[in-house]
Amino acid sequence: MSKLTAKQQAWVDYYKQGKTAAEAARLAGYKARDDNGFQSIGSENLRKLAVFIADRDKLLETPRIADMEEINAFWTNVMRDKGEETKDRLKASELRAKAAGAFVQKIEHSGTLEVENPLAGLTTEELRKLADDG
């Protein structure tokens, strides 16, 4: 196999980002009936694409769009840098905390929601007929 399909390339990328083989299959757009199907696809790709997985390390190390690990490291460095302005250090700590889920916003809602069920007036026999005609 000399070239990868778009799905295979996406699978390798997701796998190298730390996703499981099954999760990478799902994210790459493979189709399966259930989790076992994604696990089978992921397992097969691990076997078939082993060479490409190893080669992808070099490409992923090149400059790219920052992932969350890199962003968090940047915010942490700014936050700890005594040479930065206090406002910048505070903003970096706030962004880092938000990314870690430290701030939970609670929104309260009250009221009622009226929903009309179009099947509410049907008899059991009518519902069965609808289900059979499906």
Side-chain angles (χ1 to χ4, degrees), residues 29 45 101 130:
N45 279 352
L130 280 174

Side-chain angles (χ1 to χ4, degrees), residues 65-75 95-96 99-100:
I65 295 174
D67 58 13
M68 282 310 296
E69 184 178 337
E70 187 177 356
I71 292 168
N72 285 328
F74 172 78
W75 286 333
L95 292 171
R96 176 64 193 99

Side-chain angles (χ1 to χ4, degrees), residues 105-120:
Q105 184 179 12
K106 289 185 180 181
I107 298 173
E108 292 187 27
H109 176 73
S110 63
T112 59
L113 178 64
E114 305 258 343
V115 178
E116 184 179 326
N117 181 353
L119 305 177

Side-chain angles (χ1 to χ4, degrees), residues 14-53:
Y14 284 120
Y15 184 74
K16 293 305 294 181
Q17 291 172 15
K19 307 295 185 203
T20 65
E23 195 175 12
R26 182 178 290 115
L27 292 169
Y30 285 90
K31 302 292 181 213
R33 290 179 188 230
D34 56 14
D35 287 343
N36 288 336
F38 286 112
Q39 288 174 357
S40 294
I41 293 166
S43 189
E44 183 179 337
N45 279 352
L46 276 173
R47 184 182 50 78
K48 287 185 348 185
L49 305 176
V51 171
F52 295 100
I53 293 168

